[in-house]
Amino acid sequence: MSELRHNTFEDEDLIRPIEQTGPGFYLMVAILLGVIVFAGYTYIRQVFLGLGVTGLAQPVSWGFYIINFVFFIGISHAGTLISAILRLSKAEWRRPITRMAEVITAIVLAIGGLHPILDLGRPDRMLHLFTEGRLQSPLLWDVTSITAYFAASTVYLYLPMIPDIAILRDRGTRPRWLYEFLAWGWRGTEHQKKVLERAINILMVMVIPIAISVHTVISFIFSMTIQPGWHSTIFGPYFVVGAIFSGIAALLIVMIAFRKAFDLGKYLKLIHFQYLSTLLLIMSFLWFYFTFAEYLTGFYGHEPNEMRVFLYKFTGDYAPWFWTMGICNFLIPVVILVNPKTKKIPGILIASISVVIGMWLERLIIVVPSLANPRLPYPTGIYIPSLTEWSLFAGGVAVFILAYMLFAKLFPIISIWEIQEGREESVHAVAERLKSYLPDPPSEQLLTEKLGSKR
Amino acid sequence: MKNDKTIFWLQIASVSWIWIFVMGVAIWILNLIRVAHKLNDALNASVGISIVAIPVFFTLAAILTYVFVGLQKDKHRGDERAKQTGGIDSSWRGAK
């Protein structure tokens, strides 16, 4: 250990939360564990008593669990997809953001991916998927694409962490064996750097189509059926847009929370929030465009079953939720984010929370009304979630917060090496890039000739 | 030293686990193709999906293995350099 030399460290602020733990951390962990234990209890109760303890019934057989499944998987688009796009487009402002985004993906994918199991009255029957599953079913496409996305996102999160893990190992941060194990022998040689860069470059290209496929395939669960309100050709891109939209909002909330909790104002500057919230604003307009196109097409066709669902959302039982969704996803973010005076961190936080709520409502609006108004001659269905469903929802959110906190306790939440690389190479790299965009300056000979002709 | 060896073998085990996982996914998908064939149930669709899915998982495992081997290969060179310079600088700038 004595032969290891600590880096002269200008980024001590990023290591401090790992090496020092305040009482607030333990208090928060205890509260979250309490919520998770209660959720665990309600789930065990559901397994023993059956789905009768939920608000699910015929014809509304999908409720909170599937809504949350779609919602959490949507949030996962915050991370790997946004990070990969920003890396690929060489957006220099990405540097303090990418790690935070990637962590969101890995955690919410694990949470979201488990939700369909909660929806099963007999979870042991999941095993049939392995022995007798039908690959032609969109449900199986989901299992495959979510597994692929989870694997790719975890690798994409882990590989860029290796140099930072090695820094912790060399500082002797505890648990040292963990950092030694995860650093994979990183010594910071030129060859190692090349290997890692090559792998990250391949991954970031690979991860974008996987991420898009995931939410497209999730939309297929709905759109491949002929249920009114679901059977739509634009559901794939509509879901992808919604996922990126809610993902950016979730990322902004996480960034604001950690900026405050870890005092990271030096790294997460107003400009980062403003750039990201501009993306949020663009996605808000895009979401509105897709929603408008989706509902206008259904309304114009005026097919009776389609209209039952349409009116159920616009003027019926679900009208309050539908219009709140519109206010949360469009009105509030647009009003806040188009005005430079309100496009500050408090305003961005309000807009982001509003979008997350709005996007959850959108999932509710998609799932329940179509099931409540089926083509078959059923009376209109009713769905009121029970305490079991609410507690499992709270449990899912608590698992997310806890997992994120534990990650931040073990690893730097902002990529140290990317910040260092940015400080040392970005200015030069951006200058070179700018030169390559701009037209070449006129040669001296040409200038002399032009000046001569003017005289 | 003994600790280093244990960690090294744990690292080997983790990389091997990734291959076991990927092989497991591939076997699962191939089994579903077999079921589709047995039941005469849209075999072409199953084959089409597997052609996309299986290579994705294998590529991921290959990338991880490539990085692991690449880092391990140069680990000792890094250690020798550390002896000459008086310490390891694992940070990104240490590569220069």
Side-chain angles (χ1 to χ4, degrees):
Chain A
M1 213 20 239
S2 60
E3 67 177 335
L4 302 179
R5 128 171 91 81
H6 286 185
N7 298 301
T8 43
F9 222 62
E10 61 263 65
D11 297 312
E12 201 66 41
D13 291 347
L14 300 178
I15 303 281
R16 199 183 317 114
I18 300 168
E19 296 180 339
Q20 293 169 13
T21 313
F25 175 82
Y26 295 108
L27 180 70
M28 193 70 185
V29 168
I31 294 169
L32 293 170
L33 280 176
V35 177
I36 293 165
V37 168
F38 183 69
Y41 160 73
T42 53
Y43 178 64
I44 291 168
R45 190 170 161 268
Q46 179 190 299
V47 171
F48 278 100
L49 299 177
L51 286 175
V53 298
T54 66
L56 299 171
Q58 288 299 341
V60 186
S61 52
W62 281 356
F64 259 35
Y65 300 141
I66 299 300
I67 294 165
N68 292 337
F69 161 66
V70 181
F71 173 71
F72 279 121
I73 302 287
I75 297 281
S76 76
H77 280 61
T80 310
L81 183 62
I82 294 168
S83 158
I85 291 171
L86 293 180
R87 271 210 179 106
L88 205 60
S89 59
K90 293 190 167 73
E92 286 300 327
W93 57 275
R94 74 177 191 271
R95 293 178 187 277
I97 297 171
T98 47
R99 171 89 40 90
M100 284 189 174
E102 290 154 13
V103 181
I104 294 179
T105 300
I107 298 171
V108 291
L109 266 180
I111 299 168
L114 290 175
H115 270 76
I117 302 175
L118 301 183
D119 195 53
L120 297 176
R122 289 278 307 271
D124 54 302
R125 291 191 177 171
M126 268 299 285
L127 291 174
H128 292 319
L129 209 68
F130 295 100
T131 53
E132 306 299 330
R134 294 185 68 240
L135 265 184
Q136 304 84 345
S137 159
L139 289 170
L140 253 286
W141 304 350
D142 251 5
V143 175
T144 316
S145 62
I146 290 174
T147 313
Y149 189 39
F150 181 68
S153 307
T154 315
V155 175
Y156 189 64
L157 167 69
Y158 170 60
L159 291 187
M161 271 170 55
I162 290 176
D164 289 354
I165 293 170
I167 291 173
L168 294 168
R169 175 200 63 196
D170 298 345
R171 284 172 68 97
T173 308
R174 283 165 190 273
R176 187 153 187 263
W177 64 267
L178 179 72
Y179 299 121
E180 182 80 48
F181 167 66
L182 291 174
W184 271 12
W186 176 266
R187 294 291 185 269
T189 67
E190 190 64 41
H191 172 74
Q192 288 184 331
K193 185 183 167 185
K194 263 187 198 154
V195 166
L196 202 59
E197 265 183 350
R198 202 173 290 153
I200 293 171
N201 287 343
I202 297 170
L203 267 174
M204 73 186 173
V205 174
M206 204 177 141
V207 96
I208 295 173
I210 297 177
I212 291 173
S213 79
V214 169
H215 231 67
T216 307
V217 168
I218 285 179
S219 82
F220 286 169
I221 297 175
F222 302 98
S223 63
M224 293 289 178
T225 68
I226 50 165
Q227 287 272 22
W230 286 357
H231 192 56
S232 159
T233 54
I234 66 161
F235 250 38
Y238 185 33
F239 268 53
V240 172
V241 164
I244 299 173
F245 186 34
S246 60
I248 295 172
L251 176 58
L252 279 164
I253 295 171
V254 168
M255 282 167 63
I256 293 170
F258 275 94
R259 185 180 192 263
K260 177 89 179 153
F262 289 177
D263 196 18
L264 295 176
K266 197 170 101 183
Y267 296 93
L268 297 169
K269 297 181 176 174
L270 180 62
I271 190 91
H272 295 110
F273 292 97
Q274 286 179 331
Y275 280 174
L276 212 51
S277 61
T278 304
L279 274 180
L280 188 73
L281 180 64
I282 294 167
M283 294 313 295
S284 181
F285 283 114
L286 210 52
W287 173 87
F288 181 81
Y289 164 67
F290 268 94
T291 307
F292 179 75
E294 169 65 17
Y295 286 105
L296 181 70
T297 316
F299 174 74
Y300 205 81
H302 234 75
E303 198 260 318
N305 286 315
E306 195 80 27
M307 280 314 289
R308 262 179 76 197
V309 176
F310 184 90
L311 293 174
Y312 190 73
K313 293 180 186 179
F314 276 71
T315 54
D317 289 354
Y318 267 60
W321 305 123
F322 181 85
W323 295 110
T324 309
M325 170 191 81
I327 292 167
C328 286
N329 281 346
F330 189 69
L331 200 65
I332 294 176
V334 169
V335 167
I336 291 175
L337 300 178
V338 293
N339 185 352
K341 278 182 190 161
T342 49
K343 203 178 169 185
K344 301 277 190 281
I345 289 176
I348 292 170
L349 179 64
I350 294 169
S352 304
I353 292 172
S354 162
V355 169
V356 169
I357 294 170
M359 282 312 296
W360 186 86
L361 287 174
E362 196 218 35
R363 306 323 188 186
L364 174 81
I365 296 291
I366 287 174
V367 174
V368 177
S370 289
L371 289 171
N373 297 280
R375 284 184 199 277
L376 291 168
Y378 276 111
T380 302
I382 300 166
Y383 173 65
I384 300 166
S386 70
L387 179 68
T388 305
E389 286 154 297
W390 279 110
S391 68
L392 282 167
F393 181 23
V397 175
V399 169
F400 170 72
I401 300 171
L402 182 65
Y404 214 110
M405 280 175 62
L406 292 178
F407 181 90
K409 187 74 205 82
L410 287 170
F411 306 105
I413 201 67
I414 289 177
S415 174
I416 298 171
W417 71 264
E418 285 203 71
I419 296 285
Q420 287 179 350
E421 188 195 48
R423 279 196 195 108
E424 288 161 23
E425 293 173 17
S426 288
V427 177
H428 179 67
V430 171
E432 285 296 312
R433 217 182 305 152
L434 264 175
K435 261 191 213 168
S436 71
Y437 303 150
L438 296 169
D440 293 331
S443 65
E444 264 188 43
Q445 192 189 346
L446 198 71
L447 271 177
T448 328
E449 278 172 16
K450 273 190 178 173
L451 283 171
S453 64
K454 273 188 184 173
R455 276 173 199 156
Chain B
M1 210 57 190
K2 198 179 166 189
N3 195 25
D4 283 355
K5 267 198 171 169
T6 314
I7 282 173
F8 175 71
W9 283 111
L10 278 175
Q11 287 167 341
I12 295 274
S14 66
V15 176
S16 312
W17 186 87
I18 290 149
W19 280 101
I20 291 168
F21 166 72
V22 166
M23 299 291 275
V25 171
I27 290 168
W28 170 55
I29 292 174
L30 291 174
N31 176 49
L32 296 187
I33 292 175
R34 189 189 60 83
V35 172
H37 177 65
K38 199 172 80 181
L39 302 175
N40 199 17
D41 186 13
L43 179 68
N44 293 351
S46 306
V47 173
I49 292 158
S50 67
I51 286 172
V52 180
I54 294 176
V56 169
F57 286 99
F58 274 94
T59 311
L60 284 174
I63 290 172
L64 268 176
T65 313
Y66 166 72
V67 173
F68 181 70
V69 172
L71 298 194
Q72 290 297 323
K73 241 185 194 174
D74 230 35
K75 184 182 163 186
H76 302 295
R77 205 179 303 164
D79 286 341
E80 277 164 27
R81 195 187 62 175
K83 272 182 199 161
Q84 288 163 7
T85 57
I88 296 170
D89 185 358
S90 294
S91 65
W92 200 248
R93 71 163 69 98
K96 297 198 181 82

